[in-house]
Amino acid sequence: MTRRRLPSAEQMSPYFHKWLQWMETDQELSPNTVKSYGEGIRRLVAYAEISPSSFGPASFDQYSLIETMREMRLGLDVSVTTTRKSIYALKNFYVFCGMSGLVRPPVVFSRVLRLVPYRRSAPWIPVETFGPEDWP
């Protein structure tokens, strides 16, 4: 399976660009971290098949993020580290959204991260093992 082509940064929504600027100015993150997190979000958008220009606070919920991660890992073309980095990027995006008054994060990241194995050979924890209390 071939890697999915990431949308370019120019194709992404204004929310994405405001978030990048916020990371640079308010969080004072290094240019490499900002670039890496931006790629992580663009990877999630590509695998979720979301229109890059419509990416925003409502693009993911708990279930859609888990399904996107599963899609990334099923193809075996995205490493565990890259998958986890993409999740942390989205978590940072939702911190930005919360601080900007845009939305309360629709994802409980500690629960999502429990599903991502640390090694490629480790099995996925089936989503079905989680009950209603695990979903926000």
Side-chain angles (χ1 to χ4, degrees), residues 7-64:
S8 69
E10 292 76 27
Q11 294 175 290
M12 296 297 289
S13 72
Y15 289 114
F16 176 82
H17 294 285
K18 289 177 185 174
W19 169 64
L20 292 178
Q21 184 178 23
W22 176 79
M23 285 192 296
E24 290 174 357
T25 57
D26 291 21
Q27 288 194 310
E28 298 178 356
L29 297 179
S30 74
N32 288 340
T33 301
V34 172
K35 179 183 174 188
S36 177
Y37 274 18
E39 287 173 355
I41 293 291
R42 292 186 294 127
R43 184 170 294 102
L44 289 171
V45 166
Y47 276 86
E49 298 179 352
I50 296 169
S51 167
S53 62
S54 67
F55 170 74
S59 294
F60 288 97
D61 59 20
Q62 190 97 359
Y63 183 78
S64 65

Side-chain angles (χ1 to χ4, degrees), residues 20-121:
L20 292 178
Q21 184 178 23
W22 176 79
M23 285 192 296
E24 290 174 357
T25 57
D26 291 21
Q27 288 194 310
E28 298 178 356
L29 297 179
S30 74
N32 288 340
T33 301
V34 172
K35 179 183 174 188
S36 177
Y37 274 18
E39 287 173 355
I41 293 291
R42 292 186 294 127
R43 184 170 294 102
L44 289 171
V45 166
Y47 276 86
E49 298 179 352
I50 296 169
S51 167
S53 62
S54 67
F55 170 74
S59 294
F60 288 97
D61 59 20
Q62 190 97 359
Y63 183 78
S64 65
L65 177 58
I66 290 169
E67 288 303 308
T68 299
M69 291 175 359
R70 187 182 305 233
E71 181 74 22
M72 290 168 68
R73 299 290 297 131
L74 284 177
L76 301 178
D77 60 336
V78 179
S79 72
V80 171
T81 302
T82 300
T83 302
R84 293 180 77 82
K85 191 184 307 180
S86 296
I87 296 166
Y88 284 115
L90 188 62
K91 182 178 180 179
N92 186 279
F93 175 75
Y94 281 119
V95 168
F96 159 74
C97 291
M99 295 194 70
S100 301
L102 298 173
V103 68
R104 182 179 155 264
V107 176
V108 180
F109 287 94
S110 61
R111 294 179 183 151
V112 171
L113 286 165
R114 287 191 319 198
L115 297 174
V116 181
Y118 282 96
R119 298 179 322 278
R120 184 172 295 283
S121 61

